[in-house]
Amino acid sequence: MNLIERCPDGTIKYRNPFSGTECWYTPGRRHRPVHTEGTSVPQLLKKVDVEGYCTFCPKNYFYTTPEKSRVINIENFLQIQRMLTANQIFAQPALFRRISNLFEIISIDYWKKNYSYSLTSQQIKMKENYLSSELGREHVRSLLEHITRRSSQQKARIEDSALYELADGFFGGAHDLILPQFHFRPDAVTDHDLYSTGEMTAFEHHIYTVLTIDALSDIYEQNRFVRFAGVYTNWRRDAGATLEHLHRQILGLDFWGYSIGRCVRQVSANPEVFNDYVNYLKNQHNLAICENDYAVAVADIGQPFSTVAVFSKSSGCRPFEHTHREVEGFSEILLSIHAALGSGEACNEEWYYPPRDSDCFFPWFVLIKWRKNRHAGIEGTTRLYIDTYRPEEIRDMMIDRLHLLRTSGKFNSLLIGKNGIREKRSLKYNSKKSS
Ligand SMILES: [Zn+2]
């Protein structure tokens, strides 16, 4: 495996075997600070009992679609609740909740008209339960009228007779969001103190991941035409977010997508390609950032943006094929990278795993892409990406911050940097058989 080429002038060319992209580090081009604090002046926050800063905040539950599920804390016992009525959702705030995207990328009509999809009995039950109360019907009606106003500029009341079918997208769609309770950190002082993934406790991030995997599994179960469901987060506007309130998205698709297709082909040609790659980055190029028994984080190469990759070490390949403890361990590594990057930095989180109808398997891995720069015309023309940071610098930045976080008691159980496990075949996936 030779994916790195060093030129005499200092340019370094990196190639990623899975995405097929090439990224060049060009010396002297760096012109931005590593950490920006944003361009606006921080404004002091007024303390409120219940946050209502955006439509994803707990004060505005009725501005979002009916909840498909939520996690609540009952006397320190966490519980996933499903099929809540409109009257029940205000009874107590949810720590995390799953809702349908009000403006789906792929609408329910796509599945209905192209695949003759119809709601499952579980989805119909959920819809009937929600629409059985006057409050539920008014909630759904107000959302549908909002969509109509935005799409056709028309203001018309939707009658009960039309409500039942028009509501299908809220209960039977395959584009969901996972929302945490908080908009700002609980100890926020200014409006720059947003609640990012990295601000979560290990416990919170574990719950967040569990609810995401629960939703992912459910989308596959409810819609048999979904071949791959993408899981992703766009954090901050520079990474494509339209709202500052953290949200993870799950989008069911009827195709694999370019990168997933390449992963399947790579592992089909060489079953050990993922172990070879992690070994190449970690042991040959010393790019390990941190690891535990369940996952390893490395500074990745050849990506369009500076990227950290987190690979699962488990024998199960899809997220929902991991045990509870494996998910917890993976979640801890993923959280540590977000915490080290910091909430001020825009990033994308992308999940990769074998599609439902693939008979070649590769490990679940997540990429965290630091969106500090924007692509320009040359990338569109050539697909050549330029980075101003070398993977070694990303590794060092992450490791320095993890050590700093450790002084405040966080991530004590992780093996950081060179202290990681020197194992040539650390990923336990079997390319021919999942779990
Ligand atoms: Zn909010």
Side-chain angles (χ1 to χ4, degrees):
M1 202 172 257
N2 186 15
L3 304 168
I4 303 174
E5 179 188 346
R6 296 176 194 278
C7 302
D9 75 317
T11 298
I12 310 175
K13 301 175 180 179
Y14 301 95
R15 187 169 59 81
N16 188 282
F18 305 117
S19 65
T21 52
E22 188 162 318
C23 177
W24 290 11
Y25 164 77
T26 53
R29 199 176 141 74
R30 183 179 307 172
H31 53 78
R32 285 189 179 187
V34 173
H35 258 240
T36 54
E37 294 299 327
T39 50
S40 62
V41 178
Q43 302 293 316
L44 279 178
L45 276 180
K46 212 166 82 177
K47 287 284 173 199
V48 292
D49 290 335
V50 182
E51 289 187 309
Y53 301 104
C54 76
T55 52
F56 289 170
C57 277
K59 200 172 184 180
N60 298 324
Y61 280 169
F62 278 2
Y63 290 167
T64 53
T65 55
E67 284 181 11
K68 289 183 172 175
S69 59
R70 57 159 48 186
V71 176
I72 60 162
N73 187 351
I74 303 174
E75 294 173 358
N76 293 325
F77 182 74
L78 292 172
Q79 191 181 20
I80 296 182
Q81 293 188 323
R82 305 173 203 274
M83 288 204 198
L84 273 86
T85 63
N87 298 288
Q88 288 171 318
I89 64 172
F90 276 105
Q92 77 174 102
L95 297 177
F96 294 92
R97 59 203 191 101
R98 171 192 173 196
I99 58 168
S100 171
N101 192 323
L102 187 58
F103 295 95
E104 302 156 293
I105 291 176
I106 294 173
S107 73
I108 186 75
D109 276 354
Y110 180 87
W111 300 107
K112 281 183 173 181
K113 292 178 179 170
N114 298 330
Y115 288 92
S116 301
Y117 177 76
S118 55
L119 267 60
T120 64
S121 56
Q122 185 181 315
Q123 290 169 335
I124 291 170
K125 196 174 165 192
M126 182 164 59
K127 183 170 78 165
E128 288 177 345
N129 185 47
Y130 203 83
L131 295 179
S132 65
S133 74
E134 182 61 30
L135 192 62
R137 287 193 296 278
E138 282 310 310
H139 173 207
V140 168
R141 191 190 329 273
S142 70
L143 293 174
L144 291 169
E145 288 174 354
H146 174 67
I147 294 171
T148 307
R149 275 197 304 277
R150 287 194 70 91
S151 59
S152 66
Q153 307 296 314
Q154 287 180 349
K155 199 174 175 183
R157 180 174 171 82
I158 294 172
E159 299 303 327
D160 275 6
S161 53
L163 202 63
Y164 190 82
E165 189 172 344
L166 288 172
D168 276 1
F170 300 160
F171 302 93
H175 185 179
D176 289 349
L177 305 176
I178 307 294
L179 307 178
Q181 176 180 356
F182 301 116
H183 187 115
F184 291 107
R185 288 182 348 218
D187 63 346
V189 176
T190 77
D191 60 356
H192 281 197
D193 299 329
L194 292 165
Y195 184 76
S196 69
T197 305
E199 299 295 341
M200 292 183 193
T201 64
F203 183 55
E204 287 169 338
H205 191 260
H206 182 206
I207 301 165
Y208 185 40
T209 309
V210 166
L211 189 63
T212 305
I213 294 173
D214 181 77
L216 178 64
S217 175
D218 187 56
I219 282 177
Y220 279 115
E221 201 173 312
Q222 302 300 326
N223 187 332
R224 65 192 173 90
F225 304 108
V226 169
R227 297 178 61 202
F228 178 74
V231 181
Y232 60 99
T233 302
N234 306 327
W235 173 243
R236 309 207 73 156
R237 188 179 298 171
D238 283 347
T242 48
L243 284 173
E244 283 184 323
H245 196 126
L246 179 65
H247 53 288
R248 194 180 253 163
Q249 307 199 45
I250 308 163
L251 175 63
L253 301 163
D254 56 356
F255 69 105
W256 289 1
Y258 176 79
S259 297
I260 294 295
R262 277 190 65 98
C263 288
V264 171
R265 285 196 295 278
Q266 293 276 328
V267 81
S268 171
N270 173 11
E272 286 299 333
V273 66
F274 280 87
N275 260 320
D276 292 347
Y277 185 60
V278 168
N279 184 49
Y280 179 76
L281 296 185
K282 189 180 142 186
N283 297 330
Q284 286 180 249
H285 290 276
N286 205 20
L287 291 173
I289 295 169
C290 62
E291 71 179 299
N292 58 17
D293 289 343
Y294 307 99
V296 55
V298 292
D300 205 1
I301 61 168
Q303 296 287 1
F305 302 96
S306 295
T307 297
V308 174
V310 177
F311 290 91
S312 165
K313 296 181 178 180
S314 305
S315 57
C317 293
R318 300 179 179 104
F320 40 83
E321 293 165 349
H322 286 58
T323 66
H324 189 77
R325 183 68 196 102
E326 287 169 342
V327 169
E328 189 179 21
F330 187 94
S331 160
E332 192 180 20
I333 295 288
L334 184 56
L335 172 65
S336 75
I337 299 304
H338 278 292
L341 186 60
S343 63
E345 299 300 325
C347 69
N348 295 116
E349 179 190 288
E350 304 164 355
W351 290 23
Y352 297 75
Y353 62 91
R356 162 157 50 192
D357 53 349
S358 169
D359 54 8
C360 286
F361 301 94
F362 57 87
W364 174 28
F365 67 98
V366 175
L367 301 182
I368 299 131
K369 295 180 175 171
W370 183 20
R371 296 293 301 271
K372 67 187 182 304
N373 54 342
R374 290 187 182 177
H375 293 155
I378 189 65
E379 287 89 346
T381 311
T382 64
R383 293 198 70 189
L384 165 66
Y385 298 96
I386 307 295
D387 204 345
T388 52
Y389 291 92
R390 291 179 293 120
E392 290 85 352
E393 292 173 291
I394 299 300
R395 172 202 63 196
D396 293 344
M397 184 181 87
M398 293 283 130
I399 287 176
D400 287 349
R401 293 198 184 142
L402 284 176
H403 282 302
L404 202 62
L405 288 163
R406 194 167 265 190
T407 61
S408 58
K410 293 182 174 175
F411 309 118
N412 285 330
S413 63
L414 303 189
L415 300 168
I416 297 177
K418 291 176 184 173
N419 297 321
I421 303 157
R422 291 270 160 190
E423 205 179 345
K424 206 175 170 192
R425 296 269 182 264
S426 57
L427 314 184
K428 303 293 184 288
Y429 73 100
N430 179 340
S431 68
K432 292 296 172 198
K433 189 173 177 300
S434 183
S435 59

